[in-house]
Amino acid sequence: MYEAFYGLSSKPFQLSPDPNFYFGSKQHRRAKAYLDYGVLRNDGFIVITGEIGAGKTTLLRGLLDSLNRSNVVIGNLVTTQLDAEDTLRMVGAAFGVRVKDLPKSELLMTLEAFFVSQVSQGKRCLLVVDEAQNLSARAVEELRMLSNFQFGNQSLLQTFLVGQPEFRNILQRPEMEQFRQRVAATCHIGPLDEDETKGYIEHRLKCAGSNGKPTFDVEAFPAIFRATNGIPRRINTLCDRLLLLGFMAGRAHLTLDDVQEVLLDMAQESEVPLKSPVTHADAAQHGLHGAALDLDLSRLKLEDLGGLSAEIGALGQDQLADRLARMESSLVRLERMNLQTLALMQKFVEAVTRSTSTENKQ
């Protein structure tokens, strides 16, 4: 909507992961180095963890895009809230192997035969498991057993496990000792710091074709960092709304006041409507009339008020972060729906074009 106004060639703060917008923060560069090492080993498990919206998927997609797809067969497993055997069936489905209704013994033999056939053709099999924190201990054990498949001295399957920070805690359990021994590389992606947040915003604008617009007040960047805690997806959500505000106001320079206005709008949009206030009639009906609704403020000490003020301020920040997280999730779903709608429209236009071309030939 606002791209032309700022002279941009694409949307700079889209929520869907795009390797073309990859930003190499200190933690992302470190994570990428570990992943490159793990891929070269072509063995065992690679574990990637990070907060929601920290850039795990963008980093992973960039890595996968760098692989030679002519000799790599990739299976993606997204649904992980399954029991152990269903997880194996989903692995088969991810690689396009027909395993429906097979008993477990035949299921394992079918998967092994598929992996052997790919290796025999000079290919390697890579399984990518998203939302790994939802895997049960038995499901993780089944994945570990798949890593035992070998063809000569070569492993038949390498697995990437991508999950939220709690997956790290799961891996530290005593029963995960055998699995931990199969992990070739592990990395955790944390939030950006304040300087990286500024660099991230400028980097994405440059990738979107910016020639100096929009511009920001110096005070705007720290405010964006504080409001988003340095989480890239939250930064995208806030900056997208910020650019929209500038576009509607006809201004290409964005200020601290603009950031605060957007934050206020987002907070109000996510607020739960309050219940109707209690009237005197309601209070009397429930036996509350004249009850402990009167507060003697004279009993409060100044130091108590200071502590109470700090607690209320902290609560407000926590609520704002929660609201931003909920909005991120809603916006991601909306983005996916938009992409699906555009795909359907494209198919419709192509069908009409083919039909018109056929009629003209006749």
Side-chain angles (χ1 to χ4, degrees):
M1 177 182 290
Y2 53 68
E3 291 90 333
F5 174 74
Y6 294 109
L8 303 174
S9 58
S10 62
K11 192 174 181 180
F13 298 108
Q14 59 186 354
L15 297 181
S16 55
D18 187 344
N20 294 321
F21 285 82
Y22 167 75
F23 175 72
S25 71
K26 294 188 293 290
Q27 295 193 64
H28 284 81
R29 291 196 302 271
R30 180 174 178 272
K32 188 175 185 304
Y34 275 103
L35 294 179
D36 289 339
Y37 167 74
V39 169
L40 288 175
R41 286 191 56 175
N42 189 23
D43 186 24
F45 293 87
I46 296 177
V47 177
I48 310 169
T49 58
E51 299 288 346
I52 298 174
K56 301 184 297 295
T57 304
T58 301
L59 179 65
L60 180 60
R61 284 186 56 182
L63 178 67
L64 296 180
D65 287 347
S66 69
L67 299 177
N68 186 351
R69 293 301 183 94
S70 64
N71 59 15
V72 178
V73 181
I74 299 175
N76 289 284
L77 178 58
V78 178
T79 304
T80 53
Q81 291 182 322
L82 305 166
D83 63 28
E85 192 164 329
D86 282 339
T87 298
L88 290 178
R89 297 187 189 281
M90 289 299 293
V91 170
F95 285 107
V97 181
R98 297 180 61 86
V99 293
K100 185 178 180 181
D101 299 328
L102 292 180
K104 184 177 178 180
S105 58
E106 293 185 27
L107 169 60
L108 290 172
M109 288 189 293
T110 301
L111 287 173
E112 184 177 17
F114 170 78
F115 296 145
V116 169
S117 69
Q118 298 304 309
V119 172
S120 300
Q121 298 174 44
K123 299 180 180 181
R124 54 184 293 191
C125 293
L126 178 61
L127 175 66
V128 179
V129 182
D130 206 355
E131 302 297 339
Q133 74 279 354
N134 294 328
L135 290 168
S136 66
R138 288 189 58 212
V140 173
E141 178 62 15
E142 293 292 356
L143 293 177
R144 186 188 70 81
M145 295 302 293
L146 289 181
S147 70
N148 288 334
F149 290 157
Q150 288 194 327
F151 185 69
N153 294 324
Q154 182 178 353
S155 294
L156 296 179
L157 178 67
Q158 185 175 35
T159 302
F160 283 15
L161 296 173
V162 185
Q164 295 174 26
E166 51 264 37
F167 187 55
R168 302 172 73 191
N169 298 329
I170 294 173
L171 295 183
Q172 296 307 311
R173 295 174 182 172
E175 63 268 26
M176 292 292 176
E177 173 61 28
Q178 284 186 301
F179 176 82
R180 288 197 298 272
Q181 293 178 7
R182 295 297 182 92
V183 176
T186 181
C187 61
H188 178 75
I189 304 174
L192 307 177
D193 61 27
E194 186 172 323
D195 290 336
E196 288 174 336
T197 296
K198 179 177 182 292
Y200 174 83
I201 294 171
E202 294 173 339
H203 170 78
R204 291 193 72 99
L205 286 170
K206 184 177 180 180
C207 290
S210 172
N211 289 316
K213 293 195 305 184
T215 56
F216 295 80
D217 274 353
V218 175
E219 297 84 357
F221 294 109
I224 293 172
F225 169 72
R226 288 192 300 270
T228 61
N229 291 326
I231 301 297
R233 191 181 298 163
R234 295 181 185 176
I235 298 172
N236 289 358
T237 301
L238 177 53
C239 287
D240 183 62
R241 291 289 296 269
L242 192 58
L243 265 62
L244 180 60
L245 174 67
F247 164 69
M248 292 189 297
R251 291 185 289 103
H253 182 72
L254 303 168
T255 67
L256 174 60
D257 289 340
D258 293 326
V259 176
Q260 293 173 340
E261 182 178 343
V262 169
L263 288 172
L264 180 61
D265 288 343
M266 294 172 70
Q268 290 175 342
E269 290 167 5
S270 60
E271 279 182 352
V272 178
L274 296 176
K275 296 181 180 180
S276 301
V278 178
T279 64
H280 287 291
D282 294 331
Q285 181 181 353
H286 292 87
L288 299 176
H289 185 69
L293 296 176
D294 295 325
L295 299 177
D296 186 356
L297 297 179
S298 63
R299 295 182 180 178
L300 291 175
K301 299 179 181 179
L302 289 178
E303 55 268 27
D304 295 335
L305 290 175
L308 181 61
S309 175
E311 291 180 8
I312 292 174
L315 179 60
Q317 289 294 327
D318 292 341
Q319 289 177 335
L320 179 58
D322 291 341
R323 289 167 182 165
L324 282 172
R326 290 196 297 270
M327 289 191 67
E328 290 165 20
S329 179
S330 299
L331 287 169
V332 168
R333 290 196 297 270
L334 180 60
E335 188 85 17
R336 290 174 180 169
M337 291 172 63
N338 287 339
L339 290 174
Q340 292 172 354
T341 302
L342 287 173
L344 290 173
M345 290 176 64
Q346 183 178 5
K347 290 180 180 179
F348 174 74
V349 172
E350 291 174 351
V352 172
T353 303
R354 287 196 299 269
S355 177
T356 303
S357 177
T358 303
E359 291 177 357
N360 290 337
K361 289 180 180 179
Q362 293 176 348

